[in-house]
């Protein structure tokens, strides 16, 4: 495996909506389609308008604009919030793709298409609590947004 480097979220704002199950989403950055589920019902809109669904438990990656934790239970269906990234949240382990790489989306995701990393894109893994990569949670971060959304941990 290519040498992985550790990164944390940079500080920026995103829009999140609590969506109903079976909402179809298209992410133009990685050319993937997804449908929300009962569990994965929060839709994040990123810096370039790209969208992806996440689980309520994954909202720990974000904070209210005043820095307080998000109350998932109080979030109403259809409610939209502007939130900021939690720069003290979970880190990732990643490397920059040198050539085109294609791999199956993680089983935990709701899309069936293979993910494609082009040269310059970042291939990332969620970092487990023990500091190792979660090989079941591998994904692509587009080269046009990675430098604005992550900072290397030194």
């Amino acid at each position: 495996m290519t040498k992985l480097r550790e990164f944390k979220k940079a500080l920026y704002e995103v829009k999140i909506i609590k969506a109903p199950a079976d909402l179809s989403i298209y992410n133009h950055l990685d050319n993937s389609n997804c449908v929300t589920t009962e569990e994965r019902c929060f839709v994040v809109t990123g810096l370039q308008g790209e969208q992806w669904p996440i689980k309520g438990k994954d909202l720990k990656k974000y904070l209210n604009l005043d820095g307080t934790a998000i109350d998932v239970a109080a979030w109403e269906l259809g409610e939209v919030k502007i939130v900021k990234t939690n720069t003290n949240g979970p880190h990732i382990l990643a490397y920059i793709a040198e050539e085109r790489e294609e791999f199956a989306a993680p089983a935990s995701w709701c899309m069936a298409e293979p993910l494609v990393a082009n040269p310059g894109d970042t291939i990332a893994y969620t970092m487990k609590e023990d500091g190792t990569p979660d090989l079941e949670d591998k994904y692509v971060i587009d080269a046009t947004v990675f430098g604005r959304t992550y900072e290397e941990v030194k």
Side-chain angles (χ1 to χ4, degrees):
M1 177 184 288
T2 303
K3 183 173 176 356
L4 298 173
R5 297 172 13 218
E6 184 176 348
F7 294 86
K8 68 175 191 165
K9 284 278 193 185
L11 182 61
Y12 61 96
E13 294 178 4
V14 295
K15 178 175 82 172
I16 302 178
I17 184 171
K18 184 171 184 180
D22 297 323
L23 177 69
S24 182
I25 300 167
Y26 174 72
N27 186 329
H28 64 88
L29 288 183
D30 61 15
N31 192 31
S32 64
N33 291 296
C34 194
V35 176
T36 58
T37 64
E38 288 291 329
E39 183 181 32
R40 189 179 293 276
C41 63
F42 292 90
V43 178
V44 181
T45 301
L47 295 177
Q48 291 193 214
E50 74 280 14
Q51 294 185 312
W52 66 96
I54 64 172
K55 298 175 182 177
K57 72 178 186 72
D58 292 330
L59 287 172
K60 65 186 174 207
K61 297 177 183 178
Y62 304 96
L63 297 169
N64 290 309
L65 292 178
D66 65 4
T68 59
I70 293 170
D71 183 353
V72 176
W75 203 323
E76 299 290 328
L77 185 65
E79 184 178 1
V80 177
K81 293 186 181 192
I82 304 299
V83 299
K84 65 182 180 180
T85 52
N86 181 357
T87 58
N88 293 317
H91 292 191
I92 63 168
L93 296 169
Y95 67 94
I96 307 300
E98 294 181 7
E99 56 188 41
R100 180 182 166 91
E101 293 186 40
E102 190 171 307
F103 52 91
S108 63
W109 288 26
C110 57
M111 60 187 83
E113 295 89 356
L115 297 175
V116 176
N118 292 306
D121 287 346
T122 300
I123 298 181
Y125 298 87
T126 299
M127 192 167 96
K128 295 181 189 178
E129 288 185 24
D130 67 2
T132 61
D134 181 349
L135 300 178
E136 300 299 315
D137 195 5
K138 179 181 180 180
Y139 54 97
V140 177
I141 303 171
D142 188 89
T144 61
V145 297
F146 184 76
R148 294 171 31 205
T149 57
Y150 284 90
E151 300 171 348
E152 188 163 8
V153 174
K154 306 247 182 207

